[in-house]
Amino acid sequence: MPFIKNILKYNSIAVVGLEKNTGKTECLNYILSKIHDRCSCAVTSIGIDGESSDVLFKTHKPEITIYNDMFFITTEKHYRQKKITSEIVDILNYSSSFMGRLVVARAVNTGKTLLSGPPDTANLKRLITQMNTAHNCDLTIVDGALSRLSLGAPAITDAMILSTGAAVSANIPELVRKTKYTCDLISLPKYDNDIAINLKFIKSGVFAIDNDNIIHDLKVNSVFSVDFHSADFFKYGYTFFISGAVSDKIIDKFKTQPFADKITIIIRDFTKVFLTPNVFYSFIKKGGKILVLDKPNLIAITINPWSPSGYVLNSDNLRDELQSEIDVPIFDIKKL
């Protein structure tokens, strides 16, 4: 149980997949099987998870196993479809559209269920807090939906496990490159400054930060409307807070400046980065910096050498190649 002890240090973790069918549900089931008798825990999802088959590839998917005395949170629709005996301990009024309200239940035996938790990160954060305070849960685990890496941000969970594998690419070097790029984004340095707390309250716009740590509103509603030819844009210096997404277009403009090596861009967290690897790495190579207000705590990576298309990668080779590039413990769940 190489990373279970580490998981138990946190109040909440997210298990997220780099792509669909990378083994995150298998990882979740492994974790639940090892911790259910070691702490009071709850499990939920952002989106829907726990289906017995994949809707795209029609392949078998592992169902989510819930153990006796464990809390699970799902919508009314999927609670009625559960294969487990449980007692309802709460009904939460924030709903998930047509699937109804959220049901908080405690299992009274071991069985399987569908998970469909809060559809947005704000309610997910609220739910995690409630499980900790109202139900005395030591740990809440969140199973991430397709392309919802945002739930791994530290504003939502304390720690994160990333699942990758053959579904990302059949070519190990390409798979390693894609996984490393995601890990490099997750590992972006934190903006360590007293004014960081003030930046978190800014909802929109682009702001400059001068040498005295004074925040200046540049009156820019979107990065797409930035005028780099304006003499006013750089008058406060070369440090900027961008409250929304950062795209290739804006970084391409920053990196062509003669003082690109002096530019520092601050963003909320890595999920705001929508850059192709070439643009990201070229900006960093020029000396530009991208810092984050919230940095996830990536505690492990799990690999799935099986692809739903039918091919299988060598698990040991894949792990070794990833481990040579990424300084995070990497595991094949099937081999633990």
Side-chain angles (χ1 to χ4, degrees):
M1 299 184 289
F3 61 93
I4 297 300
K5 188 183 228 181
N6 202 9
I7 288 172
L8 294 173
K9 298 176 184 177
Y10 300 98
N11 291 322
S12 61
I13 67 164
V15 181
V16 295
L18 189 56
E19 296 284 353
K20 197 172 179 66
N21 294 298
T22 52
K24 66 179 177 60
T25 305
E26 194 77 54
C27 176
L28 175 62
N29 275 332
Y30 172 82
I31 294 170
L32 295 180
S33 72
K34 300 300 181 184
I35 68 167
H36 69 92
D37 58 352
R38 300 178 65 179
C39 69
S40 173
C41 70
V43 60
T44 190
S45 172
I46 189 164
I48 303 171
D49 219 328
E51 308 97 322
S52 60
S53 63
D54 181 79
V55 294
L56 294 178
F57 294 96
K58 306 302 179 185
T59 52
H60 172 74
K61 285 187 62 181
E63 294 180 293
I64 295 170
T65 301
I66 307 296
Y67 295 85
N68 181 43
D69 212 33
M70 182 180 291
F71 290 95
F72 64 97
I73 302 95
T74 193
T75 55
E76 290 175 289
K77 176 181 179 180
H78 289 135
Y79 184 75
R80 289 189 287 268
Q81 300 172 11
K82 63 183 173 33
K83 303 172 185 177
I84 187 173
T85 304
S86 62
E87 60 174 344
I88 295 175
V89 297
D90 204 353
I91 300 287
L92 304 180
N93 287 325
Y94 42 102
S95 65
S96 182
S97 64
F98 67 94
M99 291 188 288
R101 297 169 296 177
L102 290 182
V103 178
V104 180
R106 188 202 303 267
V108 296
N109 66 351
T110 297
K112 301 179 186 298
T113 188
L114 288 163
L115 294 179
S116 51
D120 60 275
T121 54
N123 276 324
L124 179 61
K125 181 175 174 62
R126 179 181 166 193
L127 174 62
I128 291 171
T129 301
Q130 185 166 346
M131 295 311 299
N132 178 252
T133 57
H135 302 291
N136 298 313
C137 283
D138 301 313
L139 173 66
T140 299
I141 303 176
V142 181
D143 194 354
L146 178 64
S147 300
R148 295 301 295 272
L149 282 171
S150 59
L151 67 87
I156 308 301
T157 57
D158 298 331
M160 171 181 168
I161 296 172
L162 180 68
S163 296
T164 188
V168 176
S169 176
N171 179 273
I172 287 182
E174 178 65 14
L175 194 164
V176 171
R177 280 193 292 271
K178 289 183 176 180
T179 305
K180 183 181 185 301
Y181 176 56
T182 298
C183 290
D184 286 344
L185 297 184
I186 293 171
S187 301
L188 285 170
K190 191 170 183 177
Y191 180 57
D192 189 15
N193 193 296
D194 290 341
I195 66 168
I197 187 66
N198 298 325
L199 296 177
K200 290 184 179 184
F201 288 102
I202 296 175
K203 300 300 183 183
S204 62
V206 178
F207 297 77
I209 301 169
D210 65 23
N211 290 333
D212 296 318
N213 289 328
I214 298 174
I215 303 169
H216 302 271
D217 187 351
L218 297 179
K219 307 298 182 183
V220 176
N221 293 325
S222 166
V223 291
F224 300 108
S225 60
V226 170
D227 181 8
F228 282 84
H229 299 293
S230 169
D232 291 338
F233 190 78
F234 293 101
K235 73 176 181 179
Y236 299 112
Y238 307 108
T239 300
F240 302 91
F241 172 65
I242 299 176
S243 61
V246 176
S247 66
D248 282 357
K249 183 177 180 181
I250 188 72
I251 296 299
D252 274 332
K253 289 183 177 181
F254 273 123
K255 74 178 186 179
T256 57
Q257 302 301 313
F259 39 79
D261 60 322
K262 299 179 182 178
I263 294 174
T264 297
I265 298 170
I266 304 162
I267 57 177
R268 295 191 188 281
D269 59 63
F270 81 100
T271 66
K272 298 299 183 182
V273 178
F274 292 86
L275 302 174
T276 56
N278 285 342
V279 171
F280 172 78
Y281 288 122
S282 63
F283 178 65
I284 301 301
K285 187 175 181 179
K286 282 179 174 286
K289 297 181 179 65
I290 301 178
L291 307 180
V292 294
L293 298 180
D294 289 313
K295 181 178 179 179
N297 187 5
L298 180 61
I299 61 174
I301 295 173
T302 64
I303 58 172
N304 177 15
W306 296 78
S307 163
S309 299
Y311 53 85
V312 184
L313 301 177
N314 184 291
S315 175
D316 293 335
N317 290 346
L318 174 57
R319 182 192 175 281
D320 290 345
E321 291 295 324
L322 282 166
Q323 199 67 83
S324 69
E325 296 288 339
I326 301 169
D327 188 24
V328 175
I330 300 172
F331 306 98
D332 183 341
I333 294 296
K334 292 289 190 179
K335 293 192 171 186
L336 294 180

